[in-house]
Amino acid sequence: MDGFNENAWWTLPENFDAPLVTFIDEAQEEHIFGHEDLHLRRIEVHSNTLIQLERWFSTSGQTRVTVVGPLRAKRWLMDMIRSVGSQQAYYQARGELMLHLVRSQPLTNEDLDASFSIRIWLDL
C-alpha cells in the first residue's frame, strides 16, 4: 500500500462519524447528481466524500441524501445543496457556481474555506 492510500480519507474512522443528512426533491436531485446519477461519482471523488441517495425513503417523493467524509467537505456539500435549492436568487446562483466547481475539479482547501458560515444559513 503506498503512502497516498494509507492516508486516504476513508481510512480514518472519524470521517464516518456523524454523517450529514438532508432531504431534496426529485427535480433537485436530478439537477445536482444528474439523470441516473451521471455526476454522482465525480462529485464524490472531487469532494472526497461518499454520498448515498435513498429515493424510496419518503412517501412525499423526497430523496434522503447522506454524506460521509471529512467534516469540511461534508459541510461544503451541504452548503452547495441548500444553496442550489434556495428560493433566493443570490444563494441559488452561488449554489450553481459551487455545483459547477465540484463537478469540474477536485475541491481545494481554499474552496472549502470559502464556504459560508453558519450565520448565513439563518437567511436561507
Side-chain angles (χ1 to χ4, degrees), residues 87-105:
Q87 298 300 311
Q88 296 181 14
Y90 171 81
Y91 295 116
Q92 199 171 50
R94 182 177 179 278
E96 292 297 326
L97 289 172
M98 293 171 79
L99 178 59
H100 174 73
L101 178 68
V102 74
R103 281 184 182 170
S104 63
Q105 65 190 36

Side-chain angles (χ1 to χ4, degrees), residues 34-98:
H35 180 69
E36 297 184 6
D37 303 333
L38 176 66
H39 305 294
L40 176 61
R41 180 69 180 132
R42 184 178 314 130
I43 291 171
E44 288 178 322
V45 169
H46 287 174
S47 65
N48 289 317
T49 60
L50 175 65
I51 303 168
Q52 180 179 15
L53 304 175
E54 295 177 88
R55 291 174 186 90
W56 53 268
F57 190 77
S58 79
T59 58
S60 63
Q62 289 190 319
T63 298
R64 181 168 77 175
V65 180
T66 304
V67 182
V68 297
L71 181 60
R72 291 172 61 214
K74 291 187 298 188
R75 286 183 177 167
W76 191 96
L77 282 176
M78 286 299 177
D79 186 9
M80 182 268 298
I81 291 169
R82 289 181 180 135
S83 293
V84 166
S86 175
Q87 298 300 311
Q88 296 181 14
Y90 171 81
Y91 295 116
Q92 199 171 50
R94 182 177 179 278
E96 292 297 326
L97 289 172
M98 293 171 79

Side-chain angles (χ1 to χ4, degrees), residues 26-35 39 84 96 99 103:
E26 184 179 348
Q28 185 179 2
E29 175 198 342
E30 189 165 315
H31 176 70
I32 293 171
F33 300 108
H35 180 69
H39 305 294
V84 166
E96 292 297 326
L99 178 59
R103 281 184 182 170

